[in-house]
Amino acid sequence: MRTTVGIIGGGPAGLLLARLLHRTGIDCVVLESRTRAYVERRQRAGMLEQGTVDVLRACGAGGRLDAEGLVHQGIELRFEGERHHIDFPGLTGGRTVTIYAQTEIVKDLVALQLAGGPPLLFEAEALGVEKPESTSPVVRFLHAGRERTLACDWVVGCDGGHGVARSAFPAGSGRSFAHDYPYSWLGVLADVPPSCEELIYARGTRGFALHSMRSPSVSRLYLQVPNGTDPADWPDGRVWDELAARFAIDGDWRLERGPVTAKSVTPMRSWVHEPMRHGRLFLAGDAAHIVPPTGAKGLNLAVSDIRLLARGFAELLHSGATELLDSYSELALQRVWQATRFSYDMTRMLHAQPDGDAFENRMQLARLRRITVSRPAAAELAANYTGLPLPEPQGPTGPAGDQ
């Protein structure tokens, strides 16, 4: 097989890139190691920045998103028995966020791809990327019981932190930066209408809790737990009791309870690989960076990577210039590090620190209080949460376009 852009990974990043390339007139092939059913069931993020919503609409994947997505005007911070609303539109000039599950984004993009897009091969396991420094890199993959090759002009690895794309970087050609947090999240899905209209971030001495949702009838909730926690140690009753305690306020509010349909534990980690390019091989999404979910940046960072790559490939097609592709890693990392900083700050501010003392406790409260009484502090949180603009290249080519 031969194509212009070989895409490893059929999650939202790889599928979105394929869709954007197809609409630009650039041929590509997507290789996904899992089955379609697995990919469309895989539970991940559900909070979309304004820019993510905009690009999904622009590529033709906005139908169900607009019909079923839940537009949120802000978030609620809870601490010391108080509740404080952060007004996103009022603080950002009209920007909002939208709740729409990643599973649904994948379903929408898969349907578009199979209906008339470039090839999407499920159960096609990438085995390696050869000659990434050359003008004709090759992806070896296993499909339908035999090994095959995909010859490309360019390769984009959207295959996560354990995929083959990053392993194709030669030793010494990159560097990774990592920080592991001393706690995890116990996440539950429940068939019960949300007890809130917007996400609740609750900080207390018992630990952090988050109330989110997937739809008007399905709630998604999280509890801070020690690393190594077994979900089996948290029967449903214990989960609901602890959530109710952590969300409690000095006022009239009640947590609705219902059947828990899924439980999982997610370790908290920040990780960034530099650079995000080697030769004609690019990394995007979790293949290049991971953030704790506190700031809801993981999926949105992957989308911003793809937007930058799509611009670069469009410039290459229209003018033959490679300036945007050449600046991809530098530009992407600017936004990656800002999102990593924001996620780190949110995580440190809202979670009970296992080694924390009374001073640390007061510092967390001071940070939260500053956000609730200072418009500039609240605006900084709102700007980061709804999504910073894409960085623009500097130089003779000028700006790359609108965000």
Side-chain angles (χ1 to χ4, degrees):
M1 297 179 66
R2 194 176 201 310
T3 191
T4 300
V5 182
I7 301 172
I8 306 174
L15 292 168
L16 178 60
L17 178 59
R19 185 67 184 164
L20 293 173
L21 293 180
H22 176 63
R23 290 172 69 89
T24 306
I26 300 171
D27 63 293
C28 62
V29 173
V30 182
L31 305 177
E32 168 53 49
S33 63
R34 302 284 193 165
T35 65
R36 177 181 180 181
Y38 179 91
V39 170
E40 292 184 343
R41 289 197 309 264
R42 187 164 43 193
Q43 291 290 336
R44 290 291 188 272
M47 198 291 293
L48 310 184
E49 295 175 355
Q50 182 75 63
T52 298
V53 172
D54 292 343
V55 74
L56 288 170
R57 287 173 177 156
C59 80
R64 284 205 309 134
L65 168 61
D66 287 333
E68 302 174 19
L70 306 176
V71 177
H72 283 193
Q73 306 290 320
I75 58 172
E76 184 178 306
L77 298 177
R78 290 191 180 185
F79 59 95
E80 300 275 273
E82 304 169 10
R83 57 195 303 184
H84 300 271
H85 179 253
I86 307 300
D87 174 18
F88 288 164
L91 293 164
T92 64
R95 296 173 74 83
T96 60
V97 296
T98 300
I99 301 298
Y100 189 65
Q102 178 173 313
T103 51
E104 305 311 305
I105 295 173
V106 169
K107 290 175 186 176
D108 295 341
L109 291 172
V110 166
L112 287 170
Q113 188 88 345
L114 296 180
L120 166 58
L121 305 183
F122 290 106
E123 297 181 83
E125 180 185 1
L127 303 175
V129 180
E130 298 177 348
K131 304 185 295 181
E133 304 90 349
S134 74
T135 58
S136 300
V138 174
V139 181
R140 291 187 300 106
F141 66 100
L142 189 65
H143 185 242
R146 67 186 184 94
E147 185 172 323
R148 306 176 65 183
T149 59
L150 177 64
C152 316
D153 294 333
W154 309 86
V155 178
V156 180
C158 304
D159 52 344
H162 301 290
V164 302
R166 186 165 51 86
S167 65
F169 279 51
S173 65
R175 181 181 179 186
S176 294
F177 303 84
H179 176 75
D180 294 307
Y181 298 82
Y183 33 74
S184 299
W185 276 11
L186 172 66
V188 301
L189 271 176
D191 285 339
V192 59
S195 304
C196 53
E197 295 183 357
E198 297 172 342
L199 273 65
I200 300 173
Y201 286 77
R203 179 260 178 215
T205 56
R206 300 175 69 102
F208 168 77
L210 171 64
H211 192 321
S212 182
M213 63 283 293
R214 286 292 178 264
S215 74
S217 60
V218 177
S219 295
R220 181 69 161 156
L221 307 108
Y222 300 92
L223 285 167
Q224 175 187 348
V225 294
N227 286 338
T229 292
D230 185 346
D233 294 334
W234 283 83
D236 295 0
R238 183 186 179 192
V239 169
W240 288 117
D241 288 345
E242 188 64 24
L243 285 167
R246 296 191 193 186
F247 287 128
I249 58 171
D250 298 330
D252 184 19
W253 185 87
R254 184 168 66 95
L255 177 67
E256 298 296 333
R257 306 186 181 209
V260 173
T261 58
K263 293 177 191 168
S264 62
V265 171
T266 302
M268 308 284 280
R269 191 169 197 247
S270 296
W271 173 84
V272 179
H273 183 273
E274 295 184 356
M276 292 171 60
R277 175 187 180 178
H278 174 71
R280 292 202 168 195
L281 169 62
F282 300 92
L283 302 179
D286 288 356
H289 42 74
I290 295 172
V291 291
T294 323
K297 295 293 120 186
L299 170 62
N300 294 292
L301 265 186
V303 170
S304 67
D305 292 347
I306 295 309
R307 292 165 67 195
L308 288 169
L309 279 172
R311 287 183 182 183
F313 285 120
E315 179 194 59
L316 179 65
L317 173 68
H318 294 144
S319 69
T322 63
E323 282 84 359
L324 288 179
L325 285 178
D326 291 340
S327 64
Y328 164 70
S329 182
E330 177 186 357
L331 294 177
L333 285 167
Q334 290 179 28
R335 201 172 194 274
V336 166
W337 278 114
Q338 286 302 316
T340 301
R341 173 203 57 79
F342 174 67
S343 299
Y344 176 86
D345 290 347
M346 288 281 284
T347 302
R348 291 286 300 184
M349 178 175 68
L350 290 164
H351 288 73
Q353 305 301 319
D355 57 350
D357 53 19
F359 178 83
E360 176 69 21
N361 178 62
R362 285 291 189 262
M363 289 300 294
Q364 289 180 313
L365 290 173
R367 293 187 189 103
L368 284 163
R369 189 66 65 189
R370 174 69 177 169
I371 292 169
T372 63
V373 301
S374 166
R375 183 177 177 85
E380 173 70 9
L381 186 154
N384 280 272
Y385 201 99
T386 58
L388 298 176
L390 290 188
E392 300 290 355
Q394 303 298 315
T397 57
D402 297 332
Q403 62 172 289

